[in-house]
Amino acid sequence: MTDNTRSRSPLAGTPSLLRAINDRAALELLLANGPLSRTQIGTLTGLSKPTASQLLARLETAGLVVPVGTTAGGPGPNAQLYQVNPAAGHVAGLDVTTTHIRIAVADITGNTLAEQQVPTKGWPAADTVPRVAAALARSVAEAGLAEGSLHQVVLGIGGALDPVTGKLRYASHLPGWHSPRLVAELAGAIGAPVTIENDVNLAAIAEQAAGAARGSEDFVLLWAEEGIGAAIVIAGRLHRGFTGGAGEVGYMPVPGSPVVHDVRRKNSGGFQELAGAPAVLALAREHGLGAPTAEAAVALALGTPGGGEDFLAVLADRLAVGLAAIVSVVDPELLVLAGGIPTAGGERLRELVQESLARISIPRPEVRSSSVPGSPVLHGALQLALATARDAAFSTH
């Protein structure tokens, strides 16, 4: 029997494939460098002027690039400049917490068009999907976009979707988010494809794209706020684990904390009991620091000689205990401290964690503080949504 599969399949090196590769390379250059001329695109891609001209004509016809003025000040005639067409696609990112949802809408270039924060206190669990859809619709309208304009939506949630069952795990603190059809229900209500991703994983995506982990392919991000979590990046890719639960280190048994049995029922664990927000507040009170939140206690400690410094040293030791367990298994190049507690502790807490880790761990990766402004989770949600939308838009023209 003759196998005709080879003759029916596109071959590497065919003109259509080469054009697609060149077009994608040009679009990525325009996103990274801003407006470019035909000559500049040709130089950066190694394409001839005629080929670069044909490429730009294709992309302009497809609505993926638009002319945006001309060069000025150089010898010879001014050259036409092109940029990625912002209207080629739109995305949204959401950061879901127990008290509110942050929402941002951006165009395909990554420019944020609208951003809002919606309180969720008092929401009936059964109304979660329609209320999220309504809040997002308001953001879309605020961005000046028509209904149905979104090409991708990414939600960051403090839990993990089980890839087998579709249920949200590690998230008993988020009632209303546990339907096995959650993604389909949200997509139907919103009118766009929806992806749900662990919030700490999204923070790691943001740090790798434009923060403390930029240029690093092996790092761990520790998120310390109300809860403790981690994101693990190996060889440039997020490691999610078999059930999506990689990085749920709050459940990890650690020295200095009683072993928590039946962690699913209690929704807690050793590292959470040692360094989560309730433990930080209790530790602050032991050192004479009165504050309404863990973040406020850490900030107060920075300006309190004696007791404040002692409190920070103990807190750093607690964080280092959990980090030592993680790095002994993963051996990352870098550790990034993120979330409200490390942010409040700033450079002093980072320095103390680095010193404490060096005393108890053989792997001694550099410890850095998060450098993504605002909500790293929201930034990461937009980054993931943009990557997905660009793959679709740039590959189908």
Side-chain angles (χ1 to χ4, degrees), residues 249-260 269-275 279 314-326 328 360:
V249 297
Y251 297 96
M252 181 173 64
V254 292
S257 178
V259 174
V260 177
F271 199 13
Q272 172 68 20
E273 293 294 310
L274 191 68
V314 175
L315 175 58
D317 286 346
R318 292 185 178 190
L319 292 172
V321 164
L323 287 170
I326 297 169
S328 67
I360 61 175

Coordinates of all heavy atoms in Angstrom, one line a residue, residues 249-260 269-275 279 314-326 328 360:
V249 N 2.8 24.4 48.7 CA 3.8 24.1 49.8 C 3.2 24.5 51.2 O 3.8 24.2 52.2 CB 5.1 24.8 49.6 CG1 5.8 24.3 48.3 CG2 5.0 26.3 49.5
G250 N 2.1 25.2 51.3 CA 1.5 25.5 52.6 C 1.1 24.2 53.3 O 1.1 24.2 54.5
Y251 N 0.9 23.2 52.6 CA 0.5 21.9 53.2 C 1.8 21.1 53.6 O 1.6 20.0 54.2 CB -0.3 21.0 52.2 CG -1.6 21.7 51.8 CD1 -1.8 22.4 50.7 CD2 -2.8 21.5 52.6 CE1 -3.0 23.0 50.3 CE2 -4.0 22.1 52.3 CZ -4.1 22.8 51.1 OH -5.3 23.4 50.8
M252 N 2.9 21.6 53.3 CA 4.2 20.8 53.5 C 4.5 20.8 55.0 O 4.6 21.8 55.7 CB 5.3 21.5 52.7 CG 6.7 20.9 52.8 SD 7.8 21.7 51.7 CE 7.9 23.4 52.4
P253 N 4.7 19.6 55.5 CA 5.2 19.5 56.9 C 6.6 20.1 57.1 O 7.5 19.8 56.2 CB 5.2 18.0 57.2 CG 4.4 17.4 56.2 CD 4.5 18.2 55.0
V254 N 6.9 20.9 58.1 CA 8.2 21.5 58.3 C 8.5 21.5 59.7 O 7.6 21.5 60.6 CB 8.2 22.9 57.8 CG1 8.1 23.0 56.2 CG2 7.1 23.8 58.4
P255 N 9.8 21.5 60.1 CA 10.2 21.6 61.5 C 9.7 22.9 62.1 O 9.6 23.9 61.4 CB 11.8 21.6 61.4 CG 12.1 20.9 60.1 CD 11.0 21.3 59.1
G256 N 9.4 22.8 63.3 CA 8.9 24.0 64.0 C 7.4 24.2 64.1 O 6.9 25.1 64.7
S257 N 6.7 23.2 63.4 CA 5.3 23.3 63.3 C 4.7 21.9 63.5 O 5.3 20.9 63.0 CB 4.8 23.9 62.0 OG 3.4 23.9 61.9
P258 N 3.6 21.7 64.3 CA 3.1 20.4 64.4 C 2.6 19.8 63.1 O 2.2 20.6 62.2 CB 1.9 20.6 65.4 CG 2.1 22.0 66.0 CD 2.9 22.8 65.0
V259 N 2.7 18.5 62.9 CA 2.2 17.9 61.7 C 0.7 18.0 61.7 O 0.0 17.6 62.7 CB 2.7 16.4 61.6 CG1 2.0 15.7 60.4 CG2 4.2 16.3 61.6
V260 N 0.1 18.6 60.6 CA -1.3 18.7 60.5 C -1.9 17.5 59.8 O -1.5 17.1 58.7 CB -1.7 20.0 59.7 CG1 -3.2 20.1 59.5 CG2 -1.1 21.2 60.4
G269 N -1.7 23.4 56.8 CA -0.5 22.5 56.8 C 0.6 23.1 57.5 O 0.5 24.2 58.1
G270 N 1.7 22.3 57.6 CA 2.8 22.8 58.5 C 3.4 24.1 58.1 O 3.6 25.0 59.0
F271 N 3.7 24.3 56.9 CA 4.4 25.6 56.5 C 3.4 26.8 56.6 O 3.8 27.9 57.1 CB 4.9 25.5 55.0 CG 5.9 26.6 54.7 CD1 6.5 27.3 55.6 CD2 6.2 26.8 53.3 CE1 7.5 28.3 55.3 CE2 7.2 27.7 53.0 CZ 7.8 28.5 54.0
Q272 N 2.1 26.5 56.3 CA 1.1 27.6 56.5 C 1.0 27.9 58.0 O 0.9 29.1 58.4 CB -0.3 27.1 56.0 CG -1.4 28.0 56.3 CD -1.4 29.3 55.6 OE1 -0.7 29.5 54.6 NE2 -2.1 30.3 56.2
E273 N 1.0 26.9 58.9 CA 0.9 27.2 60.3 C 2.1 27.9 60.9 O 2.1 28.6 61.9 CB 0.7 25.8 61.1 CG -0.6 25.1 60.8 CD -1.8 25.9 61.3 OE1 -1.7 26.3 62.5 OE2 -2.7 26.1 60.5
L274 N 3.2 27.8 60.1 CA 4.5 28.4 60.6 C 4.7 29.8 60.1 O 5.2 30.7 60.8 CB 5.7 27.5 60.1 CG 7.1 27.9 60.7 CD1 7.1 27.5 62.2 CD2 8.2 27.1 60.0
A275 N 4.2 30.1 58.8 CA 4.6 31.4 58.2 C 3.4 32.0 57.5 O 3.6 33.0 56.8 CB 5.8 31.2 57.3
A279 N 0.0 33.1 61.6 CA 1.2 32.9 62.4 C 2.0 34.1 62.5 O 2.7 34.3 63.5 CB 1.9 31.7 61.7
V314 N 13.2 36.0 63.3 CA 12.4 34.8 63.5 C 11.6 34.5 62.3 O 11.5 33.3 61.8 CB 11.6 34.8 64.8 CG1 10.7 33.6 64.9 CG2 12.4 35.0 66.0
L315 N 10.9 35.5 61.7 CA 10.1 35.3 60.5 C 11.0 34.8 59.4 O 10.6 33.9 58.6 CB 9.4 36.6 60.2 CG 8.6 36.6 58.8 CD1 7.6 35.5 58.9 CD2 8.0 38.0 58.6
A316 N 12.2 35.4 59.2 CA 13.1 35.0 58.2 C 13.5 33.5 58.3 O 13.6 32.8 57.4 CB 14.3 35.9 58.1
D317 N 13.8 33.1 59.6 CA 14.1 31.8 59.9 C 13.0 30.8 59.5 O 13.2 29.7 58.9 CB 14.4 31.6 61.4 CG 15.8 32.2 61.7 OD1 16.6 32.4 60.8 OD2 16.0 32.3 63.0
R318 N 11.8 31.2 59.8 CA 10.6 30.4 59.4 C 10.5 30.2 57.9 O 10.2 29.1 57.4 CB 9.3 31.0 60.0 CG 9.3 30.9 61.5 CD 7.9 31.4 62.0 NE 7.8 31.3 63.5 CZ 6.7 31.5 64.2 NH1 5.6 31.8 63.5 NH2 6.6 31.4 65.5
L319 N 10.6 31.3 57.2 CA 10.5 31.3 55.7 C 11.6 30.4 55.2 O 11.5 29.6 54.2 CB 10.5 32.7 55.1 CG 9.3 33.5 55.4 CD1 9.6 35.0 55.0 CD2 8.1 33.0 54.8
A320 N 12.8 30.6 55.8 CA 14.0 29.8 55.3 C 13.8 28.3 55.5 O 14.3 27.5 54.7 CB 15.3 30.3 56.0
V321 N 13.2 27.9 56.6 CA 12.9 26.5 56.8 C 12.1 25.8 55.7 O 12.5 24.8 55.1 CB 12.2 26.3 58.2 CG1 11.6 24.9 58.2 CG2 13.1 26.5 59.3
G322 N 11.1 26.5 55.3 CA 10.3 26.0 54.1 C 11.1 26.0 52.8 O 11.0 25.1 52.0
L323 N 11.8 27.1 52.6 CA 12.6 27.3 51.4 C 13.7 26.2 51.3 O 14.0 25.7 50.2 CB 13.2 28.7 51.3 CG 12.2 29.8 51.0 CD1 12.9 31.1 51.2 CD2 11.7 29.6 49.6
A324 N 14.3 25.9 52.5 CA 15.3 24.9 52.5 C 14.8 23.5 52.0 O 15.5 22.8 51.3 CB 15.9 24.7 53.9
A325 N 13.6 23.2 52.4 CA 13.0 21.9 51.9 C 12.8 21.9 50.4 O 13.0 20.9 49.7 CB 11.7 21.7 52.7
I326 N 12.3 23.1 49.9 CA 12.1 23.2 48.5 C 13.4 23.1 47.7 O 13.5 22.4 46.7 CB 11.3 24.5 48.2 CG1 10.0 24.5 48.9 CG2 11.2 24.7 46.7 CD1 9.3 25.9 48.9
S328 N 16.2 21.9 48.4 CA 16.9 20.6 48.5 C 16.4 19.6 47.5 O 17.1 18.7 47.1 CB 16.8 20.0 49.9 OG 15.5 19.7 50.2
I360 N 21.3 26.9 56.7 CA 20.7 25.6 56.9 C 20.5 24.7 55.6 O 20.0 23.6 55.7 CB 19.3 25.7 57.5 CG1 18.3 26.6 56.6 CG2 19.4 26.4 58.9 CD1 16.9 26.7 57.1

